[in-house]
Structures are given as structure tokens and as C-alpha cells.
Amino acid sequence: MPDITVPVPDDRTAEFYQFFGLWLAGSLTLPDGGFQSLPEAMGDSRKRRNWTGSDDDREDARKLWSKMTSRAKGFYNLLIDAPGTEFTGNQIAKELSISNGANGVAGVLAWPGRYCLNMNRNLPQRWKDGEVGAPSVYWMDADVAALFAAVRSDLDG
């Protein structure tokens, strides 16, 4: 397989990693061999269900947790253990030894994003873009963190 290097604008790196993860999974391929745009493939996030921490979310949380890589679990463990705390992508990358800093963190979320998309759910963490020149941040609401902490305990001990 050839290595391909593609320049990606800094402000679109996370979107690139999401696109690449979806492409690897084959979700962007149309029956005629063409491709959907990323927004078309991902659907409207406002129509997907958010995590509430309720018992109704527990089975989906179990499914999602059981599919996560150790790297993704590390990301979520950090957020679960500090609910409401905002972490920059670079802080997370440093804490978890993820190469490529914030861009590497966005890549870690590609497969969980795919799994959530298949469940018609948004990712369980929250995030917001930083002001101009400031980094984006990730966090998990307390009720969702409690749900995933319980699921983590059930499945991983």
C-alpha cells in the first residue's frame, strides 16, 4: 500500500479524520460507485440522539464501549474520571501519548463516531471550537460520565 500525504487545513483536520474513518468503513461509497459528501454521509447531527445518562441509554453505551479500542477507551476514561472538565486536544494527546497532538485525538474518535452514527447517536463527549487562535476542547457531562463509568465497571471490571 502506498503512503499518501495530503495537506489539510488546520481548521478542517478533525473533519478529515472523520471523513477518512468513514471512508475506511465504506460508508461513503454509493451504489453507483460515487461518493456522498461528508455531511450527507454523516446525516444531520441534530437528528441523532444525544446521550442523557438514563437507563434507556445503557444498552447502547454497552455496545459502544465494547467496540472501542484501548486508545479510545483511554480518551473516554480521562473524560469519565473528570466530568465537566474541559481538556484541549493537546492536553489529551500528551496525557495519553497520542502522536500528532490534537489531530491524533480527532483520529481516535473516527471509529467511535462511526459506531455512534450506526446507532443514530452523537458521540458521548461534548466539544467546542476554541475562539480564533484558541484550541478546541472536549468534556463529558456528569450524567453521561456516570453512565459510562457504570458500563466501564460492568464490562472491564
Side-chain angles (χ1 to χ4, degrees):
M1 287 193 306
D3 278 337
I4 299 174
T5 303
V6 180
V8 177
D10 288 340
D11 64 333
R12 305 223 29 222
T13 303
E15 181 182 3
F16 171 79
Y17 278 113
Q18 290 174 329
F19 169 82
F20 188 65
L22 290 170
W23 177 78
L24 285 174
S27 67
L28 297 177
T29 304
L30 298 175
D32 66 1
F35 291 95
Q36 293 176 312
S37 70
L38 184 60
E40 289 174 319
M42 293 184 70
D44 186 347
S45 65
R46 293 171 297 181
K47 294 180 181 176
R48 291 194 298 267
R49 293 178 295 154
N50 288 317
W51 298 90
T52 64
S54 72
D55 287 340
D56 293 340
D57 292 348
R58 191 175 195 86
E59 186 56 33
D60 281 351
R62 290 176 66 85
K63 288 177 188 175
L64 178 60
W65 191 262
S66 68
K67 292 179 179 183
M68 281 192 209
T69 64
S70 60
R71 180 79 64 179
K73 285 182 179 181
F75 170 85
Y76 283 107
N77 284 333
L78 185 64
L79 301 182
I80 289 166
D81 294 338
T85 302
E86 295 181 354
F87 295 94
T88 67
N90 285 329
Q91 288 173 317
I92 294 167
K94 184 177 180 182
E95 177 74 23
L96 302 176
S97 300
I98 297 172
S99 60
N100 298 324
N103 296 336
V105 171
V108 166
L109 297 176
W111 279 106
R114 173 76 171 129
Y115 301 140
C116 285
L117 183 63
N118 286 340
M119 290 188 282
N120 195 36
R121 287 199 175 267
N122 289 309
L123 284 162
Q125 86 282 350
R126 303 203 29 191
W127 69 276
K128 66 180 175 189
D129 284 328
E131 300 294 324
V132 175
S136 298
V137 294
Y138 300 87
W139 74 95
M140 189 175 275
D141 292 332
D143 57 342
V144 178
L147 169 70
F148 277 88
V151 166
R152 174 181 67 186
S153 178
D154 289 349
L155 296 179
D156 293 350

